[in-house]
Amino acid sequence: MTQVADPTARSAASPAPGRISHWIGGRVVVGTAGREGPVFDPATGTLTRYVDFASVSEVGAAVAEAKAAFPAWRALSLSKRTDILFRIRNLVEQHRHELAAHLTAEHGKVPSDALGEIARGLENLEFACGIPNLLKGGFSEQASTGVDVYQIRQPLGVVAGITPFNFPAMVPMWMFATALASGNTFILKPSEKDPSASMYLAELLREAGVPDGVFNVVQGDKVAVDAILEHPDIAAVSFVGSTPIARYIYETGTRQGKRVQALGGAKNHMIVLPDADIDMAADAAVSAGYGSAGERCMAIATIVAVGDVADPLVEAIKARLPRVKVGPGSDPSAEMGPLVTKQHRDKVAGYLDSSAKQGATVVADGRELPLYQESEGFFLGVSLIDNVTTEMDAYRDEIFGPVLTVMRVKTYEEAVALVNDNPYGNGTAIFTRDGGAARQFQFDVDAGMVGINVPIPVPVAYYSFGGWKNSLFGDLHMYGPEGVQFYTRAKIVTSRWPDPGTSKIDLGFPRTR
Ligand code: NAD
């Protein structure tokens, strides 16, 4: 087994050197299951720590804490809960650089990107601070004579979130901000690849005044996930990750009677019409294709060049590639970091060979980057593949790396058909100067999030995030108003206060008239 690089290294909040543990009942709980996973620094390729993998009984202990904490948390007044949310928001903002350092150390994303992730997560905390307004129900006075009807929304109980490696801080915030604000208690199962951010967040939540047991973290793999899916005291599960696992989570969780929202993978198309501003489209393609080394669910994966825009567009993108600075997060000039693991980096690089074999044109090969050849880190330079078609592996698979593919079509109709025939439907974008074409696109396209001259249309926190087709299983999108709906259930009260002595027996069905 590889040696731990720094045996004195502590994870955020870990009393055990070199280990990242669970957070249960307001404190760090070192795993006793005897199962663990390695955590790497992707920029150096070194194994830096081990993360405990929870057993079924450790997940059970976290659920018991969350269940015990629920009655008092849901009974806390909205203004007191809001106070705590404000404090969480301020602490995350204040400690964003420390949190970002955890992201860079385990995910590999460069600090500017890590801070961007945190900023988008903060938006969710800010939205959740408006919970008194968001939980306002409806009231119908005099629905029948002397009868009022009103709706209240109440929390579900213990809810869980299972999150992916690519946003170790933001995606947990998507979930727990709204879940806690709505009065639920929470179990987070982060990705085992970059688990420290979740422990750091747990510390900040405690400092903000979140009572013990309201927020818990169980580290682990499929064992922990299955324990969550099968636990009878967990009412709802939010998931973000790849499509096969999202489908599994949705099917298993709903079979157990849980409410489930499971966001899956993506293949985001960016259509460029012949009238588009080439420089703007090329800048957007490079930013959205290679930002975070392409490891974003909203990354642009494929450019669909319509008509004669293809040649100048490919040239413009190619001309920009040498300027993309790839390097470790410790290098302030680096704009793109390594990939998350060696295995993933090698898989992504493999698409360059398969594309060439299948007839595509490799315009830029990321393996020519000196860091790819010389560093132990999991680096791959930016790659551009032209003349990709629907049968090629590079189109059929979600590559999830710094590889942009270009497809050439003759018409707008062909471009839209490509997007609509794709099994994923997360984000998509169109670049054009023609408002009518853009409006038609938003009408025609089968995807959950659409950008018009915006390559990464991640909705602001007061809308909700979610794709269509294989990019989301379940009915409700994540965070924002739909998040509040997901984490609460409606109760409708029909009430009257008749004067004593005015009642009579009536076996007929209650009428309003
Ligand atoms: P993943 O599906 O491998 O893992 C996600 C979570 O599921 C992790 O917590 C992991 O521990 C757990 N998991 C993995 N295998 C499991 C199994 N067999 N059984 C039970 N649980 C399992 O995803 P990832 O590689 O961490 O993240 C990248 C993927 O997430 C990409 O497909 C990306 O598109 C997707 N993603 C989607 C969105 C979105 O909003 N739609 C956002 C971010 C990432």
Side-chain angles (χ1 to χ4, degrees):
M1 191 180 280
T2 325
Q3 282 300 301
V4 171
D6 174 9
T8 61
R10 282 163 184 271
S11 72
S14 176
R19 296 207 79 75
I20 301 155
S21 302
H22 315 299
W23 182 273
I24 300 176
R27 63 190 181 85
V28 177
V29 173
V30 177
T32 52
R35 297 172 61 248
E36 63 187 14
V39 178
F40 290 90
D41 175 350
T44 60
T46 8
L47 173 63
T48 53
R49 293 181 182 136
Y50 285 96
V51 57
D52 289 327
F53 280 1
S55 62
V56 174
S57 66
E58 283 164 332
V59 172
V63 178
E65 290 284 348
K67 190 179 178 188
F70 176 64
W73 180 246
R74 76 163 284 215
L76 204 64
S77 72
L78 287 177
S79 46
K80 285 187 179 144
R81 280 214 300 265
T82 307
D83 264 351
I84 293 176
L85 283 156
F86 263 111
R87 286 202 290 273
I88 300 173
R89 185 258 167 225
N90 288 343
L91 282 166
V92 172
E93 217 271 331
Q94 217 175 305
H95 293 282
R96 64 191 184 283
H97 290 286
E98 291 96 312
L99 184 55
H102 285 294
L103 307 188
T104 300
E106 294 180 357
H107 174 283
K109 60 178 73 179
V110 296
S112 56
D113 191 26
L115 288 168
E117 160 175 359
I118 294 165
R120 294 309 299 262
L122 276 170
E123 285 181 18
N124 294 100
L125 287 163
E126 286 156 9
F127 175 80
C129 288
I131 199 69
N133 197 36
L134 296 163
L135 284 185
K136 276 199 296 203
F139 194 100
S140 301
E141 187 185 51
Q142 200 74 344
S144 181
T145 308
V147 175
D148 301 327
V149 180
Y150 49 97
Q151 188 205 56
I152 48 186
R153 294 205 74 90
Q154 296 189 332
L156 306 177
V158 181
V159 299
I162 300 163
T163 54
F165 82 82
N166 66 326
F167 286 111
M170 181 185 76
V171 171
M173 287 192 259
W174 280 4
M175 299 173 181
F176 75 69
T178 325
L180 296 186
S182 306
N184 303 279
T185 54
F186 197 84
I187 312 280
L188 173 64
K189 206 303 281 172
S191 167
E192 66 279 26
K193 295 192 178 90
D194 42 20
S196 286
S198 59
M199 297 300 280
Y200 191 72
L201 284 167
E203 282 186 340
L204 295 182
L205 265 64
R206 181 181 57 182
E207 200 179 326
V210 171
D212 294 350
V214 169
F215 179 79
N216 306 275
V217 181
V218 288
Q219 309 288 358
D221 58 357
K222 182 169 165 53
V223 172
V225 171
D226 286 344
I228 287 170
L229 294 175
E230 278 154 28
H231 202 297
D233 290 335
I234 293 181
V237 177
S238 300
F239 172 87
V240 175
S242 60
T243 288
I245 311 297
R247 185 182 280 116
Y248 169 75
I249 301 282
Y250 184 76
E251 289 175 358
T252 315
T254 50
R255 205 178 310 123
Q256 301 290 329
K258 299 184 195 316
R259 198 177 270 202
V260 181
Q261 52 179 185
L263 277 58
K267 191 82 186 174
N268 304 314
H269 299 66
M270 171 173 153
I271 295 179
V272 183
L273 296 188
D275 69 340
D277 180 310
I278 299 281
D279 284 328
M280 186 204 286
D283 286 339
V286 171
S287 312
Y290 305 118
S292 210
E295 292 172 325
R296 290 180 184 143
C297 62
M298 290 290 276
I300 290 297
T302 191
I303 312 280
V304 185
V306 179
D308 56 12
V309 81
D311 285 341
L313 182 63
V314 170
E315 274 312 306
I317 295 173
K318 187 181 166 194
R320 284 159 170 77
L321 299 188
R323 302 205 293 267
V324 177
K325 181 84 195 334
V326 183
S330 55
D331 174 354
S333 70
E335 298 167 296
M336 185 186 117
L339 281 88
V340 70
T341 59
K342 180 174 187 312
Q343 191 191 26
H344 183 56
R345 191 271 310 264
D346 293 345
K347 180 168 176 254
V348 171
Y351 287 100
L352 291 156
D353 288 333
S354 68
S355 300
K357 267 192 216 120
Q358 291 163 16
T361 316
V362 177
V363 180
D365 187 331
R367 293 171 298 188
E368 287 165 11
L369 178 83
L371 274 174
Y372 173 82
Q373 288 145 18
E374 294 153 16
S375 164
E376 293 294 308
F378 313 138
F379 290 98
L380 179 66
V382 294
S383 300
L384 180 64
I385 310 177
D386 195 1
N387 296 306
V388 169
T389 57
T390 52
E391 321 74 59
M392 295 179 185
D393 295 339
Y395 182 72
R396 296 166 72 91
D397 300 349
E398 181 186 24
I399 299 178
F400 220 55
V403 178
L404 258 182
T405 59
V406 178
M407 308 177 81
R408 295 171 176 239
V409 297
K410 291 198 178 65
T411 62
Y412 162 84
E413 286 74 20
E414 268 182 79
V416 174
L418 256 183
V419 183
N420 289 355
D421 290 346
N422 192 278
Y424 298 106
N426 215 38
T428 185
I430 190 164
F431 277 70
T432 177
R433 303 302 300 161
D434 180 341
R439 188 175 181 281
Q440 190 60 41
F441 179 67
Q442 87 189 21
F443 185 83
D444 290 337
V445 77
D446 290 342
M449 294 168 283
V450 178
I452 296 175
N453 297 315
V454 172
I456 307 189
V458 175
V460 287
Y462 39 97
Y463 285 83
S464 300
F465 182 107
W468 287 11
K469 300 185 275 185
N470 285 350
S471 296
L472 183 139
F473 301 89
D475 307 295
L476 291 172
H477 289 194
M478 206 162 274
Y479 70 70
E482 294 197 24
V484 177
Q485 227 177 310
F486 181 78
Y487 290 123
T488 56
R489 53 189 165 177
K491 188 179 270 179
I492 316 295
V493 183
T494 303
S495 115
R496 66 183 179 128
W497 297 93
D499 291 333
T502 59
S503 66
K504 61 178 173 39
I505 291 173
D506 180 355
L507 298 194
F509 194 71
R511 299 182 200 196
T512 54
R513 279 182 256 265

